[in-house]
Amino acid sequence: MVADLSQLVKAYDVRGVVPDQWDEPLAELFGAAFVQVTDADAIVIGHDMRPSSPGLAAAFARGATARGADVTLIGLCSTDQLYYASGALDLPGAMFTASHNPARYNGIKLCRAGAAPVGQDTGLTEIRTLVEQWSEHGLPGTALTTPGTVSERDTLTDYAAHLLGLVGLSGIRPLKVVVDAGNGMGGHTVPTVFAGLPLDLVPMYFELDGTFPNHEANPLDPKNIVDLQARVLAEGADLGLAFDGDADRCFVVDERGEGVSPSAITALVAARELARNGGRGTVIHNLITSWSVPEVVRENGGTPVRTRVGHSFIKAEMAEHGAIFGGEHSAHYYFRDFWNADTGMLAALHVLAALGGQDGPLSGLLDQYGRYSGSGEINSTVADQAGRLAAIRAAYDHRDDVRFDELDGLTVTSTDWWFNLRASNTEPLLRLNVEARDAKTMTAVRDEVLALVRA
């Protein structure tokens, strides 16, 4: 029977419910297909703390070795730690995680050597085709193939050393920082990365537990940082950091307990990375980051490049332009010196270095980067995404004071505001982001567009 992978293989990764949508035998086929498509003679595999992750990773390794590839297992790790291993060892990699999804989910994030992305247009479609074929007919004969070997390697210390070598933290003032790991992989990486820094670390939910007993490991949802916000205030801390389940994204809370926009963090890190590079370089940002991001990039001597939402687009632009940094409003941060891959931990270290390098509070430091009023992302369920988008374009088409672009969904821009409306690839949703020069204008535009979307 052919496996139904239509709901399992996404645009950028593999992700679904275990064992309903996939299991270890299917993971074994993915391992074999990955080796065949990448033509790899060796790969590296890591996994998160979910109960199903070790078994799925081991099955993937069996499939890979059956096709002749040597496998290096790095065990428990964050996704950016897997990217580090792929870059440092120059091997294709597989990370078993479902990121911020609930406990019953698991998935695979794949990359080629040097942490280069594997997505729908860069090998994932071919992998899916092979897995579907082999699920019906079985793996082709491997009698002439010498099975690969399996070895284990600990990369955590080297990963931490690499990141710390990219940010000057030796002279910062002592800081009190609360970190909410959400029972995810931040509880594994933070103690090693932060060891020896002048930090008074207050850990929250550092116990690795893929059932997520305290809250979902998804800090993008405001309800999941409530505990962190309260703890920052209770401790009188300088800041709070929240990592998602696989710890590749980091969200920041200031000393007032208020969440910091990832656009402000993007602008801050962009300014610092440009300073590291002599005030020259290209910075990639997606089209729903704040106006402040390209402004700060230009003010610091850099060249901003606007791109679509999604890590495969950001990474492609990073490579094409030789960019030094890239940021998304979802709190994914990409660095040239990290193989163009995303690492929330490195962004967090930049925030600590910037805050610790001056005497003021984080809120004051970030004032220069939070220049506009934003709505955040608002989702609306619609039956006909294309029809709604067309109707909204028509509603603004008669106006002389706006311009349109369709780089990713529909973006409408005026002198004092802009909004972007994008269709979800996986759900019947339209996603709205609005920004304006003041809160009153933002609210008016937001409400006007939502009324049209939900009409």
Side-chain angles (χ1 to χ4, degrees), residues 202-220:
V202 180
M204 292 181 65
Y205 312 140
F206 270 39
E207 305 78 18
L208 299 183
D209 189 340
T211 67
F212 307 113
N214 294 290
H215 59 70
E216 289 183 357
N218 180 19
L220 189 61

Side-chain angles (χ1 to χ4, degrees), residues 9 30 88 93 101 125 148 182 196 230 234 241 264 272 322 342 357 364 379 384 437 444:
V9 179
F30 272 105
N101 286 132
T125 298
L241 302 172
R272 290 178 53 82
D342 44 320
N379 292 324
D384 179 6
R437 298 192 186 277

Side-chain angles (χ1 to χ4, degrees), residues 41 61-71 142-150:
D41 54 17
R62 288 194 297 273
T65 56
R67 305 303 293 176
D70 295 331
V71 171
T142 56
L144 301 179
T145 300
T146 302
T149 62
V150 177

Side-chain angles (χ1 to χ4, degrees), residues 210-235:
T211 67
F212 307 113
N214 294 290
H215 59 70
E216 289 183 357
N218 180 19
L220 189 61
D221 187 334
K223 72 174 182 287
N224 295 320
I225 64 168
V226 170
D227 290 358
L228 175 62
Q229 292 170 306
R231 190 68 176 272
V232 166
L233 291 174
E235 296 280 348

Side-chain angles (χ1 to χ4, degrees), residues 300-317:
N300 285 272
T303 303
V305 171
R306 178 174 176 266
T307 187
R308 295 178 63 183
V309 174
H311 82 265
S312 63
F313 301 115
I314 295 276
K315 288 177 179 177
E317 294 286 347

Side-chain angles (χ1 to χ4, degrees), residues 81 108 170 175 192 218 285 313 339 359 362 372 383:
Q81 188 183 334
I108 325 171
S170 59
L175 298 171
T192 299
N218 180 19
H285 65 98
F313 301 115
W339 300 277
D359 295 329
L362 183 59
Y372 304 100

Side-chain angles (χ1 to χ4, degrees), residues 15-87:
R15 198 173 303 193
V17 176
V18 178
D20 300 18
Q21 293 178 298
W22 73 302
D23 52 18
E24 292 181 15
L26 206 55
E28 188 169 342
L29 298 183
F30 272 105
F34 180 60
V35 167
Q36 179 152 323
V37 170
T38 59
D39 196 28
D41 54 17
I43 66 171
V44 58
I45 302 174
H47 64 80
D48 71 8
M49 67 292 141
R50 291 166 186 270
S52 60
S53 289
L56 291 170
F60 189 95
R62 288 194 297 273
T65 56
R67 305 303 293 176
D70 295 331
V71 171
T72 298
L73 300 175
I74 64 170
L76 282 167
C77 65
S78 61
T79 290
D80 63 327
Q81 188 183 334
L82 183 280
Y83 292 151
Y84 165 78
S86 172

